[in-house]
Amino acid sequence: MGRRQRNRQRQQQRRERGGGGDGQGREQAGWEGGYPEIVKENALFERYYRELRIVPEGEWEPFMAALREPLPATLRITGYKSHAKEILHCLKNKYFKELQDLVVDGQKIQVPQSLKWYPEELAWHTNLSRKILRKSPQLEKFHQFLVSETECGNISRQEAVSMIPPLLLNVNPHHKILDMCAAPGSKTAQLIEMLHADMNVPFPEGFVIANDVDNKRCYLLVHQAKRLNSPCIMVVNHDASSIPTLQIDNNGRKEVLFYDRILCDVPCSGDGTMRKNIDVWKKWTTQNSLQLHGLQLRIATRGVEQLAEGGRMVYSTCSLNPVENEAVIASLLEKSEGALELADVFSELPGLKWMRGITQWKVMLKDGQWFEAWKDVPSNRQTQIRPTMFPIKDEEKLKAMNLERCIRILPHHQNTGGFFVAVLIKKSPMPWNKRQSKLQRKLSQRTGDVSVSAAATEDGSVEIVEEPPAAEDEETKETQHLLNVESEQSKKDGVCGPPPSKKMKLFGFKEDPFVFLSEDDPLFPPIQKFYALDPSFPKMNLLTRTQEGKKRQLYMVSKELRNVLLNNSERMKVINTGIKVWSRNSDGEQFGCAFRLAQEGIYTLYPFINARIINVCIEDVKVLLTQENPFLSKFTSETHKRVKDLAMGSIVLKYEPDPSKSDTLQCPIVLCGWHGKTSLRAFVPKNERLHYLRMMGVEVFKAKRKEEDFESKTEEGDQDNTKNMEEEMDIEHNELATKMEAEVDEEPIHELMESSVIEPENKMENVQPSSENAENRDITDLSSVKA
């Protein structure tokens, strides 16, 4: 008996068992695919929220009806990319038009609508569920577009309410930002975009440190952040409630790093996500919130401790429960003793429908027992329920807190998930940190005095006459001295390795060290000469991930992140930072440079490169992106002439739009290329190629793999498939595979007529998931793509 026959026999037996009593089959008994359908009912949930009255009177039925409906799909166009407007134009004038009057499974597809409260029409939502989007043949083309553009970092599929916290942070490019619970990274991506608001500035002064307690989720976070190709992002792995205090060097003086903006999106019970996580319906109890309250308060407290004075912290959850929301904020405000205040941000997102925070609530156990105040809680329940879970009883204190400035998003108001947001402003140090701040000011004053005296003496000696310091100041001074010695040694070596096991217990993968290039490193002068790098190029920001052997990849970080790395290697576990800018290429040594340009870092490098730049027209770009290794004769005469006078090796290919030709692509493109003896090619990842071709109006849609395999078999013998095989456009969104696979970096095939050797890398760099995996491993011939 075969496997299929056994399965059919089991299904028949199940039907018989299911219909034994009342004649109903398995389908009638509410089963689909072997799993029972989850009933979207929870009496305790309804009783709890009816009693708390978070839903306006008369809106309970629409509220519950919205929770039982699937969550609509939403997408966000990456705002800082120079082609954001082109993507928006492509969506509105091509893909959205094709969805008009389309009916799938009896349901009319709603044309996507822009979110009114999101700036510049960069966020859209539709009634398409993920299941319909993935399974429907009529939507396959649109789905492939979304997956491909997501891989490139040009589009993020993100829940609408999840976009709110980064907007309320009000980020500027110079801000130092901490994302405390960052995975999976959609909000982190928004923060990175805001840092790069001005694309003409390759290195913003600000940076994002994205943290998560789960080591595996940190790699998912890396995958998300890497799509945006920013040198200003660092991913670290710590418990957010005890994330270490970092230090930076400010003109030779150690200073505590305080953040201008902090995103505190804490773990929560998630009852606002019932529309997409239907398991919550059967698992929800009030016990989840009671267990999480303490952790949420500890994380928020640690956040405000690290917030700079005048800085802004956004606290958010995807829960509707006041125990996780207003109770945490009220407790934080009470113990801050006026150091924090809730900001009034209702006018910052016009068009967003919201409910004000509540000031009175009760606490309920999972057995349905209610408590209105801490004094009512019996002693045997005081481990489950804590005093901070209840509202403040002092009316004056409660009024001064302005809890009504909190924002609660209800699902039925704008067809979204449920959400809670509160924006806190820090006016002064936290009371328990004031003593520490006083010591720091004393230390700064002493350091300042020494500096002035040293400038005044001619022989460089320092002579200070002062009263003997207190014992506590002596201890602080000694600690400062030890920190400075440690910093100098770290800077001398230029190595930021993982912290010793004695100081921090490591989990997950063992991370390679971060090794910055020294000033006299012989690796850099040939690179500088070959590409005629500008004298302002920050070569000290280049790093590798190996201390021994050949340096195969060069990465770059911003000056500010370099400062953080060098001064905190003992305090934090860094998972990933920097973007790849150069890759070793042994064939390039004969042309004067052993390193070729990497596409993911080209927009950061381009402002500093003064040589080996070739301007190409739109026709040349199409040739480069649709053919694997085209001969020079296939390009325009102007391009042929420019390339002919250039030495072989890595080059930059630049397209500048022509404003007089409005029907052509109106955003600049910078590509990495390779100039061979008789050919010219582009080193661009597959999805990025497809992106540029779409923007130029080239049709890149293909049928699914099974259909292509069938066509390939029927046409076999009629053509030479080894020379002219069409690329499979079936794009799978497989984040973990990309994240965990070893990086194989092949040497460029710079001649079609010559058999050059391809040397795969023999070293696995597990912390640098890169789009260049696709770039170098699968450079395919797209010459058959139709314009």
Side-chain angles (χ1 to χ4, degrees):
M1 185 184 295
R3 178 165 57 89
R4 291 184 180 178
Q5 190 175 353
R6 285 197 301 271
N7 288 339
R8 281 196 293 268
Q9 193 176 56
R10 289 193 196 102
Q11 291 173 3
Q12 180 62 32
Q13 290 171 353
R14 289 195 196 103
R15 291 191 187 98
E16 291 171 358
R17 285 197 299 268
D22 56 3
Q24 289 181 336
R26 183 188 65 166
E27 291 82 359
Q28 292 170 314
W31 289 70
E32 290 182 9
Y35 293 95
E37 181 180 342
I38 292 177
V39 178
K40 296 180 180 179
E41 298 286 346
N42 189 306
L44 190 65
F45 174 88
E46 295 197 41
R47 179 188 169 193
Y48 183 71
Y49 283 115
R50 273 184 184 273
E51 183 71 22
L52 292 182
R53 298 181 180 178
I54 65 166
V55 179
E57 191 173 348
E59 296 184 21
W60 181 258
E61 293 305 325
F63 167 74
M64 291 302 298
L67 283 177
R68 294 186 179 103
E69 290 295 321
L71 189 69
T74 52
L75 60 92
R76 179 174 53 81
I77 300 170
T78 303
Y80 83 85
K81 295 265 185 176
S82 58
H83 357 100
K85 290 182 180 179
E86 292 293 327
I87 298 172
L88 181 58
H89 181 268
C90 183
L91 274 171
K92 293 169 71 174
N93 293 280
K94 182 179 180 183
Y95 292 98
F96 290 170
K97 281 187 176 180
E98 293 175 0
L99 298 178
Q100 289 180 352
D101 303 322
L102 189 63
V103 178
V104 176
D105 295 339
Q107 178 186 1
K108 185 176 180 180
I109 301 302
Q110 175 189 343
V111 177
Q113 303 292 321
S114 64
L115 298 177
K116 296 178 181 179
W117 46 267
Y118 202 93
E120 300 180 22
E121 286 190 314
L122 292 178
W124 296 73
H125 73 110
T126 175
N127 66 341
L128 288 170
S129 68
R130 289 190 174 188
K131 182 178 178 181
I132 293 177
L133 197 57
R134 288 173 178 170
K135 302 298 182 183
S136 173
Q138 301 101 305
L139 299 171
E140 183 186 351
K141 187 175 180 180
F142 183 48
H143 182 240
Q144 286 191 11
F145 166 80
L146 292 179
V147 173
S148 179
E149 293 296 332
T150 299
E151 282 295 316
C152 294
N154 299 313
I155 280 178
S156 290
R157 286 178 284 177
Q158 179 180 357
E159 191 177 344
V161 289
S162 175
M163 304 175 192
I164 297 172
L167 291 176
L168 293 178
L169 270 178
N170 194 19
V171 171
N172 289 319
H174 66 277
H175 283 154
K176 297 182 282 292
I177 307 166
L178 173 64
D179 190 350
M180 300 188 74
C181 308
S186 56
K187 299 181 188 70
T188 308
Q190 270 183 278
L191 297 174
I192 296 171
E193 294 169 25
M194 294 171 183
L195 280 184
H196 291 272
D198 186 357
M199 281 295 290
N200 296 319
V201 180
F203 294 103
E205 292 181 16
F207 56 78
V208 177
I209 294 180
N211 173 71
D212 202 85
V213 67
D214 190 320
N215 185 264
K216 291 181 181 178
R217 282 167 63 87
C218 281
Y219 291 93
L220 184 58
L221 179 57
V222 168
H223 177 81
Q224 285 274 46
K226 281 291 176 184
R227 297 180 306 124
L228 298 177
N229 300 330
S230 171
C232 305
I233 172 70
M234 178 190 293
V235 177
V236 298
N237 181 202
H238 289 280
D239 179 355
S241 63
S242 57
I243 191 168
T245 299
L246 304 184
Q247 292 186 328
I248 53 175
D249 185 280
N250 186 6
N251 297 322
R253 187 177 70 247
K254 287 286 186 179
E255 288 185 354
V256 175
L257 173 60
F258 289 104
Y259 301 94
D260 303 300
R261 298 288 186 268
I262 293 180
L263 178 57
C264 186
D265 186 51
V266 296
C268 64
S269 61
D271 56 18
T273 67
M274 282 180 158
R275 300 183 67 178
K276 64 176 182 179
N277 299 323
I278 57 176
D279 277 356
V280 178
W281 281 99
K282 63 177 183 179
K283 294 179 180 178
W284 187 92
T285 72
T286 56
Q287 192 66 24
N288 300 333
S289 298
L290 300 180
Q291 290 173 344
L292 285 166
H293 171 85
L295 174 63
Q296 293 163 338
L297 182 55
R298 290 196 301 275
I299 292 174
T301 302
R302 187 62 184 139
V304 294
E305 285 176 349
Q306 301 210 356
L307 187 64
E309 290 184 41
R312 179 179 282 206
M313 185 179 90
V314 170
Y315 175 89
S316 62
T317 72
C318 48
S319 167
L320 301 173
N321 200 328
V323 172
E324 301 179 66
N325 299 326
E326 283 93 345
V328 174
I329 297 300
S331 178
L332 199 57
L333 289 170
E334 184 180 27
K335 66 181 182 178
S336 75
E337 298 177 6
L340 298 173
E341 73 171 357
L342 272 171
D344 186 349
V345 294
F346 295 114
S347 61
E348 294 188 15
L349 294 177
L352 178 67
K353 294 180 182 177
W354 38 263
M355 297 294 297
R356 290 185 177 274
I358 61 177
T359 57
Q360 297 298 326
W361 61 90
K362 297 186 288 185
V363 177
M364 186 175 77
L365 291 175
K366 64 179 180 181
D367 60 5
Q369 187 178 2
W370 288 97
F371 299 99
E372 293 193 10
W374 168 248
K375 62 182 177 61
D376 302 330
V377 181
S379 57
N380 64 334
R381 296 291 193 180
Q382 290 183 1
T383 54
Q384 294 174 274
I385 300 178
R386 302 302 300 155
T388 54
M389 297 177 182
F390 294 92
I392 307 296
K393 294 301 179 183
D394 188 320
E395 291 294 333
E396 288 187 9
K397 280 188 178 180
L398 187 62
K399 186 177 180 180
M401 286 180 180
N402 295 313
L403 288 179
E404 66 278 359
R405 291 181 177 177
C406 298
I407 295 176
R408 182 176 274 102
I409 309 294
L410 297 181
H412 64 293
H413 282 167
Q414 284 185 307
N415 197 15
T416 64
F419 210 71
F420 176 87
V421 189
V423 181
L424 294 162
I425 305 292
K426 187 173 182 179
K427 300 192 294 183
S428 62
M430 304 305 290
W432 56 90
N433 290 138
K434 285 182 180 178
R435 177 172 168 273
Q436 182 182 351
S437 299
K438 190 180 294 183
L439 286 175
Q440 188 180 359
R441 282 196 297 272
K442 283 184 178 180
L443 183 62
S444 300
Q445 289 169 2
R446 291 182 185 280
T447 310
D449 292 340
V450 172
S451 175
V452 172
S453 300
T457 54
E458 295 180 358
D459 58 355
S461 62
V462 178
E463 188 173 335
I464 305 174
V465 180
E466 59 181 331
E467 293 294 326
E472 195 171 46
D473 287 347
E474 282 286 356
E475 184 181 345
T476 308
K477 191 172 183 179
E478 183 180 352
T479 305
Q480 182 70 23
H481 172 70
L482 291 174
L483 288 170
N484 285 335
V485 170
E486 174 195 317
S487 174
E488 289 303 319
Q489 183 63 35
S490 176
K491 288 181 180 179
K492 184 177 179 181
D493 297 339
V495 179
C496 304
S501 56
K502 291 182 181 178
K503 299 230 175 170
M504 182 186 297
K505 187 176 180 182
L506 297 179
F507 298 91
F509 297 101
K510 181 181 178 182
E511 304 300 334
D512 292 330
F514 296 85
V515 185
F516 285 94
L517 295 190
S518 59
E519 282 208 49
D520 56 351
D521 195 310
L523 205 67
F524 185 70
I527 297 175
Q528 186 175 30
K529 180 181 178 182
F530 190 74
Y531 296 102
L533 296 178
D534 195 85
S536 63
F537 179 76
K539 66 178 181 180
M540 296 299 290
N541 297 351
L542 290 173
L543 61 87
T544 64
R545 299 303 303 269
T546 178
Q547 287 181 266
E548 300 176 356
K550 276 189 173 182
K551 298 177 176 69
R552 293 187 174 273
Q553 317 287 347
L554 294 182
Y555 304 93
M556 175 163 276
V557 296
S558 66
K559 179 181 68 175
E560 288 74 20
L561 276 188
R562 181 181 187 274
N563 191 347
V564 173
L565 271 171
L566 286 176
N567 290 287
N568 298 280
S569 60
E570 293 288 328
R571 296 180 181 84
M572 62 180 181
K573 181 182 177 184
V574 180
I575 300 297
N576 191 280
T577 190
I579 54 170
K580 186 193 296 183
V581 287
W582 279 292
S583 294
R584 181 176 285 277
N585 166 30
S586 57
D587 284 353
E589 292 182 9
Q590 59 184 305
F591 307 127
C593 183
F595 286 85
R596 65 171 179 82
L597 297 164
Q599 180 65 27
E600 66 185 79
I602 190 59
Y603 284 96
T604 300
L605 275 184
Y606 177 74
F608 301 101
I609 298 175
N610 294 315
R612 307 193 62 76
I613 299 174
I614 298 175
N615 290 316
V616 293
C617 62
I618 194 74
E619 288 77 16
D620 291 333
V621 176
K622 289 180 182 178
V623 172
L624 286 164
L625 297 178
T626 57
Q627 299 187 31
E628 179 184 350
N629 204 23
F631 289 112
L632 291 174
S633 58
K634 294 191 175 182
F635 296 93
T636 59
S637 57
E638 292 83 0
T639 301
H640 192 286
K641 190 182 299 181
R642 295 188 193 107
V643 174
K644 194 174 182 181
D645 300 330
L646 204 62
M648 289 189 289
S650 186
I651 58 172
V652 178
L653 301 160
K654 176 70 183 292
Y655 163 74
E656 285 287 356
D658 186 353
S660 63
K661 298 180 180 179
S662 58
D663 56 334
T664 61
L665 185 65
Q666 289 298 305
C667 66
I669 296 177
V670 182
L671 306 175
C672 292
W674 184 268
H675 169 36
K677 189 182 296 183
T678 58
S679 62
L680 185 67
R681 71 177 306 178
F683 275 109
V684 183
K686 181 174 73 174
N687 285 327
E688 199 166 335
R689 286 176 174 238
L690 300 182
H691 160 69
Y692 289 131
L693 289 170
R694 286 191 194 96
M695 297 305 101
M696 291 185 288
V698 177
E699 181 59 68
V700 295
F701 173 74
K702 293 288 178 183
K704 289 187 176 179
R705 179 174 285 124
K706 288 182 181 179
E707 296 174 8
E708 288 197 350
D709 288 345
F710 176 78
E711 291 174 2
S712 176
K713 288 178 182 177
T714 57
E715 293 175 4
E716 190 174 6
D718 297 338
Q719 58 183 2
D720 186 1
N721 287 327
T722 60
K723 291 183 180 179
N724 244 340
M725 184 180 295
E726 290 188 349
E727 181 181 16
E728 294 176 347
M729 298 293 179
D730 183 9
I731 303 165
E732 303 284 349
H733 194 194
N734 192 348
E735 295 176 337
L736 289 177
T738 305
K739 174 181 64 191
M740 302 301 297
E741 92 179 338
E743 182 169 340
V744 179
D745 204 355
E746 297 177 352
E747 301 296 337
I749 308 171
H750 61 272
E751 282 299 321
L752 184 66
M753 305 299 292
E754 300 177 18
S755 57
S756 82
V757 180
I758 300 178
E759 301 175 9
E761 283 208 14
N762 55 15
K763 184 177 181 301
M764 176 177 174
E765 296 189 5
N766 57 29
V767 293
Q768 295 290 349
S770 168
S771 59
E772 286 209 7
N773 293 340
E775 169 186 332
N776 298 326
R777 193 172 59 251
D778 190 18
I779 305 289
T780 51
D781 186 2
L782 303 178
S783 56
S784 57
V785 174
K786 297 179 181 179

